[in-house]
Amino acid sequence: MSDGLAGVEGTEFHIEITERYAAHNYHPLPVVLASGEGAWVTDVDGNRYLDCLAGYSALNFGHSHPRLVARAQQQLGTLTLTSRAFFNDQLGPFALALSELTGKEMMLPMNSGAEAVETALKVSRKWGYQVKGVPEDQANIIVMEGNFHGRTTTIISFSDDKVAHDNYGPYTPGFRAVTYGDIEAVRAAVDEHTVAVLFEPIQGEGGVVIPPEGFLR
Ligand SMILES: Cc1ncc(COP(=O)(O)O)c(C=O)c1O
C-alpha cells in the first residue's frame, strides 16, 4: 500500500500519504504544520509562520495556551465525557456563564458550524409552525447566493457552489436564494410563510464579499 514512498520524507511525505489515505474535502496549502505556540506555528521542516487563520476563528486564543491546556488536562483526568443522557457538573455553569456573557436566554453547544446552522433552520421552522401559524410544511427561508454554511445535505441543498451541491440530491426544499447584499431582493422574497433570513455578515467562500453599508441593519 505504501508503494513509492521509500526515501520520501518531510513535507512531501506527509502531503503524499494524506492525499493517498485521507478523503479529499479541501485544497490545502502545501505546508505541514507540526507545532504551535500562541499565534505562531512551525512546520515539519522547521519553518515558522504567523497563523492568521486561527482555525477559522475556532482558535482565537492561540495554540497551546497554558491555562487552557492545563484546564483540559485536569478535566480529562477527572471525567472524560458524558452524554446528554446524564447531567454533569460542568454544563450548567458553562451555560449560565455563556448566556450571561451573550445576553441570551439559553444556549446550545455545537461541534461544528454546519450543526449550528442546521439547528437554526430547525428552530426557525418550528417557530414558524408553532408561533407564527405557518401551515404545515409551507415554511420558507431566504438565503443568499454565494453562501457557504457547511456541508450537510440540507445546507448544500441551497448552495450554488457546484462542488458543494452537485451529485448529492434529492435536495431539501423550502429555500429561496436572493443576491447577497440586495435588501430590496430580500424584501421582495419575504412572504407570509417566511420564517428566517440566513446570511453571513461577510461572505468568505467564493472570495471575501462585504455587504453594502446598512444591509445588516
Ligand atoms: C460561514 C461558514 N458557515 C459555516 C461553516 C461550517 O462550519 P463547519 O465546517 O464547522 O461545519 C463554515 C466553515 O468554514 C463557514 O465558513
Side-chain angles (χ1 to χ4, degrees):
M1 282 175 74
S2 49
D3 303 347
L5 289 175
V8 181
E9 53 191 35
T11 294
E12 200 189 338
F13 173 75
H14 285 284
I15 291 176
E16 175 57 30
I17 60 170
T18 304
E19 294 291 347
R20 203 184 285 191
Y21 298 111
H24 299 174
N25 65 352
Y26 265 80
H27 295 289
L29 298 172
V31 175
V32 179
L33 300 177
S35 62
E37 192 179 340
W40 291 91
V41 289
T42 305
D43 74 8
V44 290
D45 299 323
N47 301 305
R48 292 183 81 221
Y49 302 87
L50 179 61
D51 181 2
C52 292
L53 194 55
Y56 292 119
S57 86
L59 208 53
N60 289 341
F61 42 79
H63 297 268
S64 309
H65 191 294
R67 275 175 58 201
L68 297 180
V69 171
R71 188 65 186 88
Q73 285 175 338
Q74 183 198 349
Q75 185 60 47
L76 283 168
T78 305
L79 180 66
T80 305
L81 178 72
T82 65
S83 77
R84 292 291 301 267
F86 302 100
F87 289 92
N88 67 57
D89 69 352
Q90 299 298 312
L91 181 60
F94 172 62
L96 172 63
L98 192 58
S99 297
E100 284 188 348
L101 178 71
T102 57
K104 302 294 180 190
E105 292 170 22
M106 305 177 90
M107 60 107 232
L108 179 64
M110 290 284 149
N111 298 295
S112 70
E115 284 177 289
V117 174
E118 285 282 344
T119 304
L121 300 174
K122 289 169 68 182
V123 167
S124 301
R125 285 176 169 176
K126 192 167 186 176
W127 171 84
Y129 298 127
Q130 295 195 336
V131 179
K132 187 172 178 177
V134 174
E136 189 177 338
D137 290 346
Q138 297 297 305
N140 68 67
I141 293 175
I142 315 300
V143 299
M144 303 295 136
E145 290 166 4
N147 68 71
F148 183 76
H149 293 291
R151 298 179 195 276
T152 61
T153 316
T154 289
I155 289 173
I156 59 91
S157 292
F158 57 83
S159 169
D160 48 21
D161 174 356
K162 290 177 70 63
V163 176
H165 176 274
D166 290 2
N167 297 311
Y168 301 119
Y171 300 104
T172 309
F175 300 98
R176 295 177 178 175
V178 301
T179 305
Y180 181 68
D182 184 344
I183 194 64
E184 290 311 322
V186 175
R187 286 203 176 98
V190 170
D191 66 16
E192 69 275 19
H193 295 165
T194 300
V195 297
V197 178
L198 176 65
F199 61 89
E200 296 144 83
I202 296 174
Q203 288 190 328
E205 191 69 6
V208 175
V209 187
I210 298 173
E213 178 80 31
F215 177 68
L216 299 186
R217 194 163 54 238

